[in-house]
Amino acid sequence: MKKVLCEIRHERIDPSRVFEFASDFSHGAQTFFFGSVRAKNQGREVIAVGYDAAIPLAEKALEEIVTEAISKWGVELKICILHRVGKLSVGEISVAIGVSSPHRDEAYLASRYIIEQIKLRAPIWKKEFYSDGETEWLKGHALCQH
Amino acid sequence: MTTVPVIDIKLNLFGAFRKYESKGTPISFQVHESMSVKMFKKRLADRLRELFPDFTDEQLIEDSAIADETRVLSQDHFLTGSCNLLILPPVCGG
């Protein structure tokens, strides 16, 4: 049975896909994290966010992060990460993370680790579109170059 | 007189560098063979300055990583043949 799913796609994220993948009758805990586009950022009214990604490298980064999570919190984990690219309206899901685990501690910890590492390491970028017509690429974290 | 061999680079742009794209195509240019990634970034800044006289993103280039199609390259990596590269500005997924 496949235990890991990492995808970056243009298509809308269907939460039921995450629920179905990250479920296991031998597990007693599932955590689900959904990141979505919010209507305000730093006092500005946001109408949409454009997501850009170096997709093959970003999917590889997601797989590395999942491998690390499994090595930290157990080989039993089932993990699903779906991330959008393209222009998303306010309220749309940009990222979904599902973790299934025998016990809740590992599921919570792995889920939190994965989203924080995505923000630090996955080659994905956000451009905000504001209600006044302006746009801005958000500042981020420089990738390690050593 | 010896001439330094040159290699062809196609550079794929992402994030804040997308504004330098022409119809979604990579930037193509030549650099000296065995140039380090660190020097390549300086050459890239020169190239973008040639193409865009109002170019001011030197610091963004400095803060960005260069990758090939499978991995991020270290600053000390040497470019030994014609290739496709990617420039990856600071990331902010999620």
Side-chain angles (χ1 to χ4, degrees):
Chain A
M1 187 194 300
K2 200 175 171 191
K3 296 183 78 168
V4 172
L5 176 65
C6 297
E7 285 185 1
I8 298 174
R9 295 287 182 271
H10 281 87
E11 292 77 27
R12 185 178 163 275
I13 291 173
D14 178 358
S16 67
R17 192 161 172 237
V18 189
F19 296 142
E20 283 166 19
F21 187 88
S23 65
D24 188 320
F25 289 160
S26 66
H27 290 174
Q30 284 82 37
T31 61
F32 299 98
F33 171 83
F34 296 98
S36 55
V37 175
R38 65 173 178 268
K40 258 200 174 162
N41 190 27
Q42 299 191 329
R44 301 190 75 176
E45 191 180 339
V46 176
I47 57 170
V49 173
Y51 282 84
D52 189 15
I55 292 178
L57 282 181
E59 287 185 335
K60 190 176 169 198
L62 298 185
E63 286 162 8
E64 288 169 0
I65 292 165
V66 165
T67 299
E68 291 165 10
I70 288 171
S71 73
K72 285 172 181 282
W73 291 291
V75 293
E76 303 94 341
L77 296 185
K78 282 184 77 179
I79 299 175
C80 174
I81 308 175
L82 306 179
H83 202 299
R84 287 284 304 273
V85 287
K87 191 172 178 180
L88 281 66
S89 301
V90 168
E92 280 194 79
I93 297 170
S94 57
V95 59
I97 300 168
V99 180
S100 179
S101 166
H103 304 286
R104 66 184 180 281
D105 271 358
E106 292 80 0
Y108 274 121
L109 291 167
S111 180
R112 182 65 190 258
Y113 178 80
I114 289 165
I115 187 61
E116 299 303 335
Q117 291 298 312
I118 287 172
K119 288 178 176 290
L120 290 175
R121 292 162 51 185
I124 299 172
W125 303 274
K126 281 191 260 208
K127 182 184 192 179
E128 288 188 335
F129 293 76
Y130 303 109
S131 57
D132 60 8
E134 291 187 0
T135 63
E136 185 177 347
W137 288 100
L138 298 188
K139 291 180 174 49
H141 302 274
L143 292 171
C144 179
Q145 301 173 60
H146 300 294
Chain B
M1 192 172 89
T2 56
T3 54
V4 180
V6 293
I7 56 176
D8 295 311
I9 302 292
K10 282 188 178 172
L11 183 69
N12 295 276
L13 308 175
F14 296 93
F17 288 107
R18 289 275 191 195
K19 64 187 172 190
Y20 299 117
E21 271 182 343
S22 173
K23 296 175 185 169
T25 55
I27 291 182
S28 297
F29 56 110
Q30 293 186 320
V31 299
H32 289 149
E33 192 176 41
S34 298
M35 178 178 275
S36 70
V37 165
K38 191 172 183 177
M39 287 306 296
F40 172 76
K41 286 164 78 169
K42 295 189 188 309
R43 174 76 182 93
L44 172 61
D46 292 341
R47 180 66 179 143
L48 288 175
R49 216 174 285 114
E50 288 166 16
L51 293 171
F52 303 93
D54 56 351
F55 170 78
T56 57
D57 280 330
E58 289 89 350
Q59 188 59 50
L60 184 61
I61 290 178
E62 196 56 37
D63 294 339
S64 298
I66 301 295
D68 63 17
E69 286 161 344
T70 61
R71 68 200 163 107
V72 173
L73 304 175
S74 81
Q75 300 262 38
D76 300 328
H77 178 86
F78 291 98
L79 304 172
T80 54
S82 296
C83 57
N84 290 325
L85 296 176
L86 297 75
I87 185 159
L88 310 176
V91 302
C92 56

